[in-house]
Amino acid sequence: MPDKIPFLQPQPARLSLAIDELRLVEDSGIYSNFGPVSRRLEKGLVDGLFEGHGQCVTVCNATLGLMLAVKQCVSTKKSHSKRYALMPSFTFAATAHAALWVGLTPLLCDIEPDTLCPSPTSEIELLERYGDDIAVVIPCATFGNTLDLAHYDRLAHQYAVPMVIDAA
């Protein structure tokens, strides 16, 4: 019989490297959100990734995080009359679920065949056609492919529409 080749080999974090953090958790008695380790992680992410600008909240999974981010974007009075969440046609179900959860209809754009990420041309066409009805744009970094964040910054300013980057 040939040797087995494992499909997945687990590599859990070495808890022995996090003794100080585990003590902080135990000493605080807070084993989930808002504990000292969780808050330090959130602050470190904002400081390290976004130069101290913005906010970060830890969640139990990426779907919930996406739902909260989309909800935050469409919670203004100006957004209540808008109907669509612009997203790529090839994405994880959670992207559409987040839009549906806040009462929006997914508006699907084409994707680039080489990256499977949203097509900028298609996004612009849909923003021109449905612009006043689009509450949020949710581009996805499909399979970890890079998104042009400068493009989305331009779209956000040009069309006055918030962006939620789905890079789970």
Side-chain angles (χ1 to χ4, degrees), residues 11-87:
Q11 297 179 336
R14 295 184 50 108
L15 295 179
S16 61
L17 298 176
I19 296 297
D20 292 338
E21 285 79 11
L22 292 171
R23 267 201 193 93
L24 280 172
V25 170
E26 287 178 345
D27 292 346
S28 73
I30 302 173
Y31 293 86
S32 61
N33 303 28
F34 311 112
V37 176
S38 176
R39 287 187 183 257
R40 190 169 69 205
L41 171 64
E42 293 167 350
K43 182 173 179 1
L45 289 169
V46 170
D47 292 347
L49 296 175
F50 302 105
E51 299 175 347
H53 301 287
Q55 299 172 347
C56 176
V57 62
T58 52
V59 292
C60 64
N61 62 55
T63 300
L64 183 57
L66 195 57
M67 291 167 70
L68 292 174
V70 172
K71 177 72 171 173
Q72 179 66 30
C73 284
V74 300
S75 61
T76 66
K77 287 183 182 181
K78 188 170 109 177
S79 296
H80 285 293
S81 63
K82 300 189 179 214
R83 303 180 347 197
Y84 298 113
L86 177 58
M87 65 187 67

